[in-house]
């Protein structure tokens, strides 16, 4: 079984910083792209940032210049450094990755359980 476990959420004041981490564990042969999504109350889940196995990154326009995604391929982890946080960044943040459990197995999508980020004074 494969698990993705997020950590690092919490309450922060506007302008502050938080760092989210996600660790993938279980039987994993390789991980392709790792992503962070978020979902605010009453809104659809949106892609925040992604990082491919080779290190190429992409960000949504709303977080570009403020958030940085990084990964450690040896540890199967992905982090999201969030700076200059705004109240509109408040959401549940989810880690997502597509990975292979064996060399010839299918590429399968996995999700973490989510971690709450609240930006408020």
């Amino acid at each position: 079984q494969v698990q993705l476990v997020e950590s690092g959420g919490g309450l922060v004041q506007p302008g502050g910083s938080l760092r989210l981490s996600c660790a993938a564990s279980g039987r994993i042969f390789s991980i392709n792209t790792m992503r962070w999504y978020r979902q605010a109350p009453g809104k659809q889940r949106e892609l925040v940032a992604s990082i491919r196995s080779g290190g190429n990154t992409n960000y949504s326009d709303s977080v570009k210049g403020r958030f940085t995604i990084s990964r450690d391929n040896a540890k199967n982890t992905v982090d999201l450094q969030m700076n200059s946080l705004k109240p509109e960044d408040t959401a549940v943040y989810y880690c997502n990755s597509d990975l292979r459990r064996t060399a010839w197995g299918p590429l399968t999508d996995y999700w973490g359980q989510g971690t709450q980020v609240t930006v408020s004074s």
Side-chain angles (χ1 to χ4, degrees):
Q1 196 60 286
V2 172
Q3 280 190 313
L4 270 59
V5 179
E6 301 104 333
S7 60
L11 173 65
V12 64
Q13 292 187 341
S17 298
L18 276 178
R19 189 176 184 89
L20 304 182
S21 295
C22 173
S25 63
R27 184 179 182 182
I28 298 171
F29 175 77
S30 65
I31 300 179
N32 190 10
T33 302
M34 303 187 84
R35 306 173 186 87
W36 285 98
Y37 284 80
R38 66 185 181 188
Q39 187 167 20
K43 294 188 176 181
Q44 286 191 330
R45 191 171 296 189
E46 65 167 339
L47 177 62
V48 175
S50 64
I51 183 167
R52 301 180 71 173
S53 56
N56 289 341
T57 59
N58 280 289
Y59 298 92
S60 68
D61 288 342
S62 61
V63 306
K64 202 172 291 184
R66 300 188 297 123
F67 291 10
T68 302
I69 189 170
S70 60
R71 66 189 282 174
D72 185 327
N73 290 333
K75 297 181 179 179
N76 290 337
T77 59
V78 60
D79 292 347
L80 186 67
Q81 177 66 42
M82 305 184 295
N83 299 328
S84 303
L85 283 160
K86 306 174 182 180
E88 50 264 43
D89 294 318
T90 295
V92 178
Y93 284 70
Y94 296 90
C95 174
N96 165 265
S97 69
D98 46 278
L99 59 89
R100 297 185 195 278
R101 299 186 64 192
T102 62
W104 307 110
L107 204 59
T108 305
D109 218 34
Y110 287 88
W111 291 85
Q113 81 289 349
T115 185
Q116 177 70 47
V117 172
T118 303
V119 185
S120 175
S121 54

